[in-house]
Amino acid sequence: MSVRVVRRRVLVGAVIGALVTAGVVTAAAPSAVAQETPTVGAVAPSEVTVAGGSAAATSVRSASMAAATITKLSTTTGPTSGGTKLSIYGKRFSKVTQVWFGDQPATRFTVNSSKKLTVWSPPGAVGTVYVSVVGAYGTSPASAKARFSYRPAPTIAALTPDAGPTRGGTKVTITGTGFTKVRKVYFGTKVAAKLKVVSSTTLRVVAPRQSAGTVPVRVVTAYGTSEAVPVAQFGYLATPTVSSVSPSVGASSGSTEVTISGTNLNRASRVTFGGLRATRIVVISDTQLVATTPAHVAGTVRVQVSTPGGSSADRSASRFTYRAASHEATAIEAEVLTLTNQARSVARTCGGQLYPAVAPLAWDPALADLALAHSRDMAARDYFSHTNPDGQGLAKRMALAGYQFSAAGENIAAGYPTAAEVVAGWLASPGHCANLMSGSYKVVGIGFDSGSGRYGSYWTQDFATAR
């Protein structure tokens, strides 16, 4: 009796010309049929041998029939926009029909060999997904070696500063998110210089040269380009000019309101009279502002306006003349002078050191102008220090005002409502007491300002021996 052998490929759990029950295949009729029906995610086909119309099913899976596996991705990160080209390494890639990134199919792939694929990632949401390869014998299993992360494009939250001169060179700090693998920073169409990645949220660059106007700033990373949002605009400003100063004459005690006309004034951050900062600035328009003069000794000085675009040049139209000092002591300032000279008339101990009685101090109007200017500045700019926010201490302020001296000292106080209280406070402090009792000083100027600032009252007492 001859036996005919029929080889048939079936899927476990499916019926293909036979009934599968408990692992036994009963043939409906002997026939020479070979059928293959691959299904993603199904168990690989078994090879079954049928003899004499019936046989026991034998599950035999060869290595070549196993699903593909992934051992490495050449690149594990990319932008959410997709398009990242990467190589996938593994095994059994010869019959690949699809590559998935999470639940999204790759936009394109090439089978280089049974161990390598070249793939282009599809768009995806921020986060990490598993890459899987689908072949004739199933889908590759998820593994840590097959993870791909979608990274967000960078964003810009602030530019500091947000403006600078057209000549470039402004050091700009950019804050935002996603500053990883930064490639370039653009100001308009020009690339910024000296890019430094401080962290994933902070960059430092130097603005390139550019024509006057506003340009968008964009950060380019491996994961995309930041959007040109309103906070990512950088202004290139032309240098300010001063065409007139009115009035051009004022008291050396300061407090003259001066209207300055010119061009490119709308971003004015500083106005100086002979190097001394105006106590107040009000910008009216791009062509006009009002500045309040600081105290200064008599003479003609340069008026200069500074903006992020630069500082105005010196010209004859930008001059201001201070008249001779006329600051006579007010009643409360005169009382401080009287109490000071009374204290100097008797020997006293300051911080454990004995100071002998010394000659009285004379009132110096020019020194009083400087003292008053400092009291007003402390009130206006809300600070309490011998050094102003511009870094100018007593010696620098006196030098800028043109005051010539061989010795100088200063006492300041705040919050004392009366002359008696402020002098008592100075005498109770060793350093202030030593200044007040020093025989090295011959003249004094006192400036008192009230009604503004957090302390309400500000006192400055400047001592000197003029040259």
Side-chain angles (χ1 to χ4, degrees), residues 244-250 256-260 273 293 303 319-321:
S244 69
V245 173
S246 180
S248 59
V249 179
T256 302
E257 289 194 348
V258 177
T259 298
I260 300 174
F273 290 76
T293 62
V303 178
R319 301 295 179 87
F320 182 85
T321 300

Side-chain angles (χ1 to χ4, degrees), residues 154-160 162 173-179 200-203 217 219 226-233:
T155 66
I156 295 178
L159 305 177
T160 308
D162 64 355
T173 298
I174 304 174
T175 54
T177 62
F179 297 159
S200 63
T201 60
T202 304
L203 303 177
V217 176
V219 176
S226 62
E227 296 182 3
V229 293
V231 293
Q233 306 294 314

Side-chain angles (χ1 to χ4, degrees), residues 251-272:
S252 60
S253 59
S255 300
T256 302
E257 289 194 348
V258 177
T259 298
I260 300 174
S261 300
T263 61
N264 307 313
L265 305 179
N266 64 343
R267 293 288 296 269
S269 57
R270 176 187 174 102
V271 176
T272 57

Side-chain angles (χ1 to χ4, degrees), residues 288-433:
Q288 195 172 79
L289 61 82
V290 175
T292 303
T293 62
H296 198 288
V297 296
T300 299
V301 299
R302 172 188 177 185
V303 178
Q304 187 176 60
V305 178
S306 298
T307 74
S311 298
S312 60
D314 188 17
R315 57 175 63 180
S316 58
S318 61
R319 301 295 179 87
F320 182 85
T321 300
Y322 281 96
R323 294 194 304 266
S326 58
H327 184 161
E328 296 302 326
T330 63
I332 198 166
E333 291 166 350
E335 186 179 357
V336 171
L337 176 61
T338 299
L339 293 172
T340 296
N341 283 331
Q342 286 177 357
R344 288 169 63 89
S345 67
V346 296
R348 69 181 59 247
T349 299
C350 300
Q353 182 175 346
L354 178 64
Y355 286 81
V358 288
L361 297 166
W363 181 263
D364 185 325
L367 205 54
D369 285 343
L370 287 170
L372 180 59
H374 190 59
S375 291
R376 287 174 174 172
D377 193 44
M378 287 192 291
R381 293 202 272 175
D382 195 24
Y383 70 94
F384 181 64
S385 173
H386 293 285
T387 302
N388 65 25
D390 304 317
Q392 299 165 349
L394 174 62
K396 182 66 172 178
R397 287 185 274 116
M398 294 176 78
L400 287 172
Y403 191 95
Q404 301 296 313
F405 62 93
S406 59
E410 183 175 77
N411 287 340
I412 61 173
Y416 291 97
T418 68
E421 288 174 297
V422 73
V423 172
W426 283 333
L427 289 173
S429 169
H432 296 85
C433 177

